Each structure stands twice: as structure tokens, then as C-alpha cells.
Amino acid sequence: MPLDVKRLRVLRELAERGTVAATAEALAFTPSAVSQQLSALEREAGVVLLEREGRRLQLTDAGRTLVAHADTVLAQLERAEADLHAGAGEISGTLNVAAFSSFARSLLPRAAAAMLHHEHLRLHVRDAEPQDSVPLLRLGELDVVVAQRFPYVPRDFGPAFHVVELFDDPLHLATGPGHHDAPPRFADLANRPWVAGHPGTSCHEVVIHACHAAGHEPRIVGFSNDFAVVSALVAQDVGVALIPKMAHDQAPPEVRLRPLDPPLSRQVLAVVRAGAEERPAVAAFLRELRAVTPD
């Protein structure tokens, strides 16, 4: 029986995450669904891939062997599909794209509109943060993800993905009328209230790590990953915040935006599965992303 590609991706995710619960959370599955997928993969493989050790599932030697081949196998399947599409001589099929919210609002519509002249292509776009979209990309439910990488918060996508660096988006210190005296240096921002992203997200971690690097603990009083919400809170002096240049137009007039000293930027990236970058529809969309990004 041939191996199901999606189930192979679940096994690889288990190898990376270590537990069924963590795998389920990463893939937005239930633990029961992950276990069912893995059991079905075992039946397809005809060998024992997992063994229970206490309350945890551990990979057997056969499981580790299959995982070791997974990235190569999946990338080669992507390249094979790319070759088949290229042989058709036109950009067609379905392309599923996701981008983080500020990119989805500002630049994604232009890139999507540029693809509309491909009459045989079905393009689906959505806004989604990387922690939600990358697992869907891994499972094959998305084809292109526009993600962000913040300073102090490394994001290593690994060999399963092909990453295209698009541009750097400078981060600015955002202050309201009652905090316009705040200097744009993290070392001088001790005891200032902060508005940051939700815990566990890069928008939160960048504030934590930047303040720690400057020698103090940030006092975070507001949480949002929506820069329109962040800007509104800053405008009412709830706290200061970091707002990328791409989101400046969401800031009310009362909000003052200044470059940081030293400067910080988030990196904007396009991520696809390894091998899929050669698929005509994906390659065309990557070209359109480069065309709409700032110099």
C-alpha cells in the first residue's frame, strides 16, 4: 500500500515536536486525529513505526528511518508535480496563499490581482499569522506563506521549506501624547508601560528580548497582534509599542513614530515547501511578491 503524503508529514512533525499533544497543537489537529493518522501510516508501511514508552510515543528504528527520508521524498514529490505543471505550458490549478495581517492588508491584494489574468488558475488568499499558516503549509493545505522574522526571535524553517527573503521592514517606537518624551533607545525605556503582541508570538517576544538585552524587564499592559489595535491603545497613552513601517498608516495622528536607536527591522519572507518553488503557479506568485515589495 502506498504511503499517504499527508500522514508522512504528520510523522515528521511528531519527530520534530516530540509528543502527540505538541504535534496536534502545531497542526491544529486533535491528539486523537494525530494518533489515527499515525496508526493509518503504520498500516500502510507494514512495519511498526512507533512504540509507547510510558505515556509517550517514541519512534522505532523503522520510524526514524522513514523520517530521515521524509524531507527528500516530499521535496522530490513537489519537484515532480512542478515538472508536470510546467509541461502543461500554462499556469493553472489551485494556489492557496496566506500572509500575516499587515502584509495581507497592504501588499497581498496587489500581488493577488496581478495573478488574475491567469484564467485557468484558481487563487485562494487568506490572512493568517505564521504560527497558524506554516503548519498548514507543511501539510500541503497552503502553497505559499508570507511570514515575518523578528530580531531576537530566530525562526528556522528547516530543510522542509524553501525561503525567499523579500525585504526588511523597519520597526519604530510608537508613543502617545503622554509618552512623546520617551527616547527611542531600549536602554532608556525602563519602567515605561508597553503594548505588545500576545504571549508566545514574535510580536511579544521581540519586546521581551530587546528590553532584556537593554538590562530591564518590560512592563507589558496591553496585548494585541493587530497593529490597528496596538496603535489605538498607544494613542490613548496605554503604553508605548513597536510598530513596523508597513503598519504606519494604521496609526492615529496622535501617535508619534520614530526609528529605534540602534535600528531594528523585521524580515518579511515568502515560504514554500522545498521543491514547490519550481511549480509554475508558485514561481509566478513569488515573482509578483517581489514586484510589489518596497525597494
Side-chain angles (χ1 to χ4, degrees):
M1 184 182 297
L3 300 180
D4 183 276
V5 173
K6 184 174 290 189
R7 291 169 184 154
L8 187 58
R9 291 189 171 112
V10 173
L11 181 69
R12 183 180 59 189
E13 194 72 24
L14 176 69
E16 292 183 4
R17 302 287 177 174
T19 67
V20 169
T23 301
E25 182 178 0
L27 298 176
F29 284 5
T30 63
S32 176
V34 169
S35 297
Q36 290 171 13
Q37 292 291 312
L38 294 172
S39 295
L41 181 63
E42 242 180 6
R43 291 193 297 272
E44 291 168 356
V47 295
V48 178
L49 301 175
L50 300 157
E51 57 189 3
R52 187 164 294 281
E53 186 174 301
R55 302 180 67 178
R56 296 169 61 94
L57 284 177
Q58 302 289 338
L59 291 169
T60 63
D61 288 343
R64 284 187 287 272
T65 297
L66 185 56
V67 168
H69 288 287
D71 286 329
T72 301
V73 169
L74 293 171
Q76 192 57 45
L77 285 172
E78 294 288 350
R79 292 187 183 95
E81 184 179 350
D83 286 345
L84 290 174
H85 281 279
E90 64 179 359
I91 294 175
S92 60
T94 301
L95 188 69
N96 294 296
V97 177
F100 61 88
S101 58
S102 54
F103 191 98
R105 178 187 53 80
S106 58
L107 298 177
L108 180 62
R110 289 165 53 194
M115 298 291 290
L116 295 180
H117 69 278
H118 299 295
E119 59 182 23
H120 297 294
L121 177 70
R122 296 182 298 277
L123 177 65
H124 300 155
V125 297
R126 69 178 81 171
D127 66 314
E129 297 304 312
Q131 63 266 24
D132 300 318
S133 58
V134 171
L136 297 177
L137 177 66
R138 185 187 293 276
L139 286 173
E141 295 181 22
L142 290 172
D143 300 300
V144 182
V145 162
V146 181
Q148 52 192 334
R149 180 187 285 145
F150 280 89
Y152 301 104
V153 192
R155 185 189 293 276
D156 182 12
F157 293 93
F161 298 108
H162 174 80
V163 177
V164 177
E165 296 179 359
L166 296 175
F167 64 99
D168 288 337
D169 190 20
L171 299 177
H172 289 167
L173 180 69
T175 58
H179 291 281
H180 281 342
D181 63 327
R185 288 172 50 86
F186 279 96
D188 301 323
L189 291 170
N191 301 319
R192 298 278 181 167
W194 279 90
V195 179
H198 292 292
T201 67
S202 297
C203 295
H204 181 91
E205 293 298 317
V206 66
V207 172
I208 296 288
H209 288 290
C211 289
H212 285 179
H216 60 87
E217 187 73 30
R219 180 163 61 93
I220 301 177
V221 299
F223 303 88
S224 178
N225 283 56
D226 184 333
F227 287 115
V229 175
V230 172
S231 298
L233 291 170
V234 170
Q236 295 300 317
D237 283 329
V238 173
V240 301
L242 296 182
I243 293 183
K245 184 177 180 181
M246 190 187 299
H248 278 197
D249 63 338
Q250 296 179 274
E254 311 92 286
V255 174
R256 183 181 179 189
L257 296 153
R258 286 173 293 163
L260 293 161
D261 180 20
L264 291 178
S265 296
R266 66 175 177 176
Q267 194 174 42
V268 179
L269 315 161
V271 188
V272 303
R273 290 182 300 279
E277 70 275 10
E278 300 172 15
R279 181 179 158 199
V282 172
F285 192 76
L286 291 176
R287 287 194 296 272
E288 297 302 341
L289 286 177
R290 293 187 188 97
V292 302
T293 54
D295 295 332

